[in-house]
Amino acid sequence: MKLHERKTIAIDMDGVMADVEPQLIKYYEQLYGITTTLEAINGLSHAEAFPLDAATKASLNLPGFFRTLPVMPGAVEAVKKLMEDYEVYIVSAATEFPLSLFEKLEWLQEYFPFIGWRNIVLCGDKSIIHTDYMIDDHCKNLDYCSGKAIMFNAHHNKHEHQHVRVHNWDEVLNLFETEKSAADLV
Amino acid sequence: MKLHERKTIAIDMDGVMADVEPQLIKYYEQLYGITTTLEAINGLSHAEAFPLDAATKASLNLPGFFRTLPVMPGAVEAVKKLMEDYEVYIVSAATEFPLSLFEKLEWLQEYFPFIGWRNIVLCGDKSIIHTDYMIDDHCKNLDYCSGKAIMFNAHHNKHEHQHVRVHNWDEVLNLFETEKSAADLV
């Protein structure tokens, strides 16, 4: 049996709804005294960009890291707009960082209070998530999604070309406008 | 693309891995001074069994409720056994109760330390979870699952008959033995 009459979208948090890269740079500097820039980490994986943090992921385990992330420009309005036509689920890889769970709920409650608890999924890998669309910045999630994969641009995914790429939330909305027009033609 | 070569099972926590009914009775007594029994709540929904708690679900929002749940008899050994042949995911409706998130991870770490973070999903509704099997005690989850639904017996689901019912973890293992034999014959 199918619950949803509307098509479903899974939307990632870090790197998509939340602007995680400036925060990683800030915490890396605080923890290790090493300053880097968005330009310097362009095209690098997390481990390559932040080598001293690669083994322990200490910065991601610090209280407050996820709670104080800035919102990605345009995300609030765009998610609200998508919810008019789609069933939107927030699907965030979070169980690797136990402290992030509560912080992510609080963060959503602050910036996206119109998203209810029923539509929030905090998980490990995303391989059993089944939606019509998935917006994410990581191939490890998009490669195995059963629906249409949409890659949100990030410095770490510059060299990945197997998925449709969007650079910002305006482009997300344009893409879904096109999807809607195509569906109307059928 | 499909990630798993092995078939997948989604396993619920409360009422399946964790024995939630005695805890509900204990907290109801502490909060409202009313004593009930497993026999008395047989066939009743949560709201019918614990009417004073129905609107606020206060007991489920108390710190410690989920952290101190007893393990369902036989669950540890059975889950371990299933993991030999299947990709097992723990899928728990948890985002309604923000305090439960961290407690559920800690509880799993204590009793099921062999389950990694990649295989844990804390969600709201389970409608976008896609696995070959789902073991759960609630029709609201089983009715919409895309795989084979297995209803774990509970006092609240006594009147629901649309799914295969198991009464304990021995019966779960027997059911999967039968599935395996059937698959071997194909």
Side-chain angles (χ1 to χ4, degrees):
Chain A
M1 199 192 295
K2 201 166 159 58
L3 179 61
H4 303 295
E5 289 182 14
R6 306 193 299 173
K7 288 199 170 181
T8 51
I9 309 176
I11 302 181
D12 182 33
M13 289 179 72
D14 305 323
V16 177
M17 295 170 77
D19 198 2
V20 78
E21 290 176 336
Q23 187 90 325
L24 285 167
I25 289 173
K26 184 175 144 190
Y27 272 65
Y28 199 65
E29 187 169 7
Q30 285 174 359
L31 268 178
Y32 305 104
I34 297 170
T35 308
T36 185
T37 63
L38 290 174
E39 292 68 36
I41 65 170
N42 194 26
L44 303 184
S45 70
H46 181 273
E48 289 165 341
F50 308 103
L52 297 178
D53 207 44
T56 62
K57 296 185 182 170
S59 59
L60 299 167
N61 281 303
L62 283 178
F65 182 92
F66 292 98
R67 184 64 186 87
T68 61
L69 283 172
V71 180
M72 193 68 84
V76 173
E77 301 73 20
V79 171
K80 206 181 274 181
K81 176 94 181 119
L82 288 175
M83 286 170 67
E84 292 174 10
D85 297 310
Y86 297 89
E87 190 70 23
V88 168
Y89 282 86
I90 310 309
V91 180
S92 177
T95 50
E96 186 179 2
F97 309 106
L99 289 181
S100 78
L101 298 166
F102 189 73
E103 292 194 11
K104 278 170 183 273
L105 273 201
E106 280 203 327
W107 188 90
L108 285 170
Q109 186 56 35
E110 178 175 350
Y111 299 109
F112 297 82
F114 47 87
I115 298 170
W117 61 263
R118 285 183 182 78
N119 291 57
I120 299 172
V121 180
L122 303 173
C123 59
D125 75 47
K126 300 188 183 178
S127 62
I128 63 169
I129 303 300
H130 183 85
T131 51
D132 297 301
Y133 300 91
M134 176 175 278
I135 308 174
D136 207 290
D137 63 327
H138 280 287
C139 278
K140 66 182 176 192
N141 300 321
L142 294 169
D143 287 352
Y144 301 104
C145 87
S146 51
K148 193 161 186 168
I150 300 164
M151 172 169 273
F152 204 95
N153 190 63
H155 287 89
H156 68 76
N157 66 30
K158 283 281 154 63
H159 303 310
E160 311 285 352
H161 302 294
Q162 63 265 53
H163 302 294
V164 172
R165 182 182 295 266
V166 290
H167 293 83
N168 52 54
W169 277 98
D170 279 343
E171 288 190 18
V172 173
L173 289 182
N174 289 340
L175 185 149
F176 278 95
E177 274 303 312
T178 311
E179 289 286 305
K180 214 170 143 187
S181 309
D184 289 344
L185 287 174
V186 175
Chain B
M1 202 193 292
K2 202 167 158 58
L3 179 62
H4 302 296
E5 289 183 15
R6 306 193 301 173
K7 289 199 169 180
T8 51
I9 309 176
I11 303 181
D12 182 33
M13 288 179 73
D14 305 324
V16 177
M17 294 170 78
D19 199 1
V20 79
E21 290 176 336
Q23 186 91 325
L24 285 166
I25 290 173
K26 183 174 146 192
Y27 273 65
Y28 199 64
E29 187 168 7
Q30 287 175 359
L31 269 178
Y32 306 103
I34 297 170
T35 308
T36 186
T37 62
L38 288 175
E39 293 68 35
I41 66 170
N42 195 25
L44 303 184
S45 70
H46 180 273
E48 290 166 340
F50 308 101
L52 297 179
D53 206 44
T56 61
K57 296 185 182 171
S59 59
L60 299 168
N61 282 303
L62 282 178
F65 183 92
F66 293 97
R67 184 64 186 86
T68 60
L69 284 172
V71 180
M72 193 68 86
V76 174
E77 300 73 19
V79 171
K80 206 181 275 181
K81 175 93 181 123
L82 289 175
M83 285 171 67
E84 293 173 8
D85 296 312
Y86 296 90
E87 190 70 22
V88 168
Y89 282 85
I90 309 311
V91 180
S92 176
T95 51
E96 186 179 3
F97 309 106
L99 288 181
S100 78
L101 298 166
F102 189 73
E103 292 193 10
K104 278 171 183 271
L105 273 201
E106 280 203 327
W107 188 91
L108 285 170
Q109 186 56 37
E110 178 176 351
Y111 299 110
F112 297 81
F114 47 87
I115 298 171
W117 61 264
R118 284 184 182 78
N119 292 57
I120 299 171
V121 180
L122 303 173
C123 57
D125 76 44
K126 301 187 182 179
S127 62
I128 62 167
I129 303 301
H130 184 87
T131 50
D132 297 300
Y133 300 90
M134 177 177 278
I135 309 173
D136 206 290
D137 63 328
H138 280 286
C139 278
K140 65 181 176 191
N141 300 322
L142 294 169
D143 286 353
Y144 302 103
C145 87
S146 51
K148 193 162 188 169
I150 300 164
M151 172 168 273
F152 205 95
N153 189 64
H155 287 89
H156 68 79
N157 65 30
K158 283 281 154 61
H159 303 309
E160 312 284 353
H161 302 295
Q162 62 265 54
H163 303 293
V164 172
R165 182 182 296 268
V166 290
H167 293 83
N168 52 54
W169 277 98
D170 278 344
E171 288 191 19
V172 174
L173 289 181
N174 289 339
L175 186 149
F176 279 95
E177 275 303 312
T178 310
E179 289 287 304
K180 213 171 144 186
S181 308
D184 289 344
L185 285 175
V186 175

